[in-house]
Amino acid sequence: MTRRTTTLSASASAVALAAALALTGCSSSSSDAKSGPELKVSGAFMPQPVMDMAGGFLTITNGGNTADKLTSVTSSLSDDITIHESKNQKMQEVKSFDIPANGELKLERGGSHIMFMELKKQPKQGEKVGIELHFEKSAPIKVELPVEAPNHNPKQH
Ligand code: CU
């Protein structure tokens, strides 16, 4: 069993390597291979929801030379998740948010946010909500949102 597993994983990693090389070759065909978006997520949280809807906040930093877009968010918490911007005290759904090259996208209280409707359960402070961010160019990123107090706002610290 041990020997068979070893052989198998060795050939599996060879396949994975070949696939990775093929992928790299493909994406570099358009321009510089090193210039894709390089996204990092920080400061994520969800204020404890008071009704069956919730907001999600986080910052996405792009260290690459190519802009990207946040296009959608998915989670097992809700089947109805949209991205909203706030203008003149009103929020409205948008199709995507720009993540500028060598810049950042900030989703923060009073501004742009992720909107979760018809929650399947009520997450409590101290729990975590798993979400997946989807982008125009980059691969999806999984993020755990710590559930904070309903009025939590890191900007006020
Ligand atoms: Cu909203």
Side-chain angles (χ1 to χ4, degrees):
M1 187 60 196
T2 313
R3 196 178 305 156
R4 186 174 165 269
T5 310
T6 310
T7 318
L8 206 113
S9 72
S11 70
S13 58
V15 171
L17 183 63
L21 288 172
L23 265 175
T24 312
C26 182
S27 66
S28 66
S29 61
S30 56
S31 59
D32 183 0
K34 283 178 195 159
S35 68
E38 288 169 32
L39 305 183
K40 242 193 250 167
V41 178
S42 61
F45 72 96
M46 170 184 285
Q48 182 176 302
V50 280
M51 297 190 357
D52 71 339
M53 54 179 177
F57 304 95
L58 47 83
T59 299
I60 302 172
T61 309
N62 183 0
N65 295 322
T66 305
D68 206 342
K69 283 177 199 254
L70 175 67
T71 52
S72 67
V73 179
T74 52
S75 169
S76 60
L77 182 64
S78 164
D79 293 328
D80 182 359
I81 305 177
T82 48
I83 47 179
H84 288 180
E85 64 179 6
S86 299
K87 270 190 181 162
N88 307 321
Q89 316 271 41
K90 275 193 206 155
M91 59 185 189
Q92 64 186 65
E93 187 178 344
V94 293
K95 285 223 157 57
S96 65
F97 280 122
D98 290 335
I99 312 167
N102 296 303
E104 62 182 12
L105 166 67
K106 276 193 171 184
L107 306 183
E108 53 191 1
R109 298 202 78 137
S112 303
H113 55 276
I114 303 165
M115 193 93 196
F116 303 76
M117 305 293 282
E118 294 181 39
L119 303 185
K120 293 177 184 172
K121 57 175 184 157
Q122 293 283 120
K124 295 274 182 295
Q125 191 173 346
E127 294 179 357
K128 282 188 174 167
V129 174
I131 66 168
E132 192 166 85
L133 306 173
H134 301 265
F135 305 97
E136 185 185 59
K137 299 193 178 90
S138 302
I141 298 180
K142 286 197 165 91
V143 186
E144 301 256 282
L145 303 186
V147 180
E148 304 282 2
N151 61 354
H152 180 73
N153 189 352
K155 271 205 300 193
Q156 289 169 349
H157 283 189

